[in-house]
Amino acid sequence: MANSDKSAPAAKGLKAAIVPVTPFQQNCTLLWDPETMVGAVVDPGGDLDRIEGAIAEIGMKPEKILLTHGHIDHAGGAAELRERLGGIPIEGPHAAEQPLLDNLETQAASYGIPARTVTPDRWLADGETVEVAGHMFEVLHCPGHSPGSVVLLNRAQSFAMMGDVLFQGSVGRTDLPLGSHETLMNSIRTKLLPLPDEIAFICGHGPTSTIGHERRTNPFIAGL
């Protein structure tokens, strides 16, 4: 794997590689089954040549693109990557994210990052499931960082894709348009803290963590 890619925890039977992209160093994640090499690209915010290089080096066969939310560093490259990968479907985030996805080109102008507006092939709703190479992930709608943020949870195998809801030692920003600190804290309290301590997760930026570690040490969620 390329030197800039980072290995990461994943569900048993799945492998994961993190490819940091955009000036925001967003954790675009490749998930794949090592037996079939089929997998998904999660949050391709940009730097598509780099993402495609990692896909080729791994030898994985992407079957879909998954989006956790609609900020430029997570979704800005999804429309073009879908075309580059032969029109594979884009799934997620929640439909409440449509205003942000419709506004990606304006976001791009503000930050000087290439991006195209994108409409997913499937919106994801709370309690639904999404499949990656035969492995099932439950959709947890966790608004606050943005209105349509989702966490993708493989409950049976203790693994989640967190997006920008919860980080190691921090929580998602809520000072961006359509963000709400109160809503984010409620999402974390009602959707994430009830999960078992052993749930390991990849978040949208920075190092991986577990629910238990954050429950014990994260000052932003103390007392929830």
Side-chain angles (χ1 to χ4, degrees):
M1 206 164 297
N3 290 336
S4 52
D5 296 344
K6 298 182 289 185
S7 61
K12 183 179 179 181
L14 283 176
K15 288 193 174 182
I18 295 172
V19 186
V21 298
T22 81
F24 298 100
Q25 290 294 283
Q26 192 278 124
N27 289 337
C28 173
T29 301
L30 308 181
L31 292 176
W32 73 96
D33 187 296
E35 293 187 4
T36 65
M37 299 307 294
V38 172
V41 181
V42 185
D43 288 349
D47 296 329
L48 300 187
D49 289 345
R50 190 158 186 273
I51 294 172
E52 286 195 293
I55 290 170
E57 191 166 351
I58 292 165
M60 69 173 285
K61 297 175 282 189
E63 64 176 352
K64 65 183 63 177
I65 295 167
L66 298 175
L67 298 179
T68 64
H69 64 289
H71 288 148
I72 187 171
D73 52 331
H74 291 255
E80 182 177 345
L81 187 63
R82 172 167 57 188
E83 293 176 358
R84 291 193 186 195
L85 297 179
I88 63 174
I90 297 173
E91 300 185 6
H94 187 279
E97 209 73 347
Q98 184 167 359
L100 287 174
L101 294 177
D102 288 346
N103 197 43
L104 279 173
E105 291 179 7
T106 303
Q107 290 185 52
S110 299
Y111 291 105
I113 300 173
R116 282 170 45 189
T117 296
V118 63
T119 299
D121 298 279
R122 176 192 173 194
W123 298 105
L124 299 177
D126 190 69
E128 291 185 342
T129 57
V130 63
E131 182 179 333
V132 177
H135 301 265
M136 303 305 297
F137 287 77
E138 179 182 346
V139 178
L140 306 180
H141 179 212
C142 294
H145 175 65
S146 66
S149 287
V150 295
V151 170
L152 304 177
L153 170 67
N154 189 314
R155 194 180 296 267
Q157 299 178 49
S158 299
F159 171 69
M161 294 299 308
M162 187 63 66
D164 282 0
V165 178
L166 181 66
F167 296 97
Q168 184 183 107
S170 188
V171 297
R173 291 177 60 179
T174 55
D175 59 336
L176 300 171
L178 306 181
S180 167
H181 181 74
E182 181 180 359
T183 302
L184 178 65
M185 292 298 103
N186 184 64
S187 293
I188 293 171
R189 179 178 59 82
T190 61
K191 298 290 183 66
L192 301 183
L193 290 184
L195 298 177
D197 283 353
E198 62 267 22
I199 299 290
F201 62 83
I202 297 173
C203 46
H205 305 263
T208 62
S209 189
T210 67
I211 294 294
H213 180 77
E214 298 314 302
R215 193 194 316 279
R216 293 188 300 271
T217 66
N218 190 322
F220 292 88
I221 62 173
L224 286 183

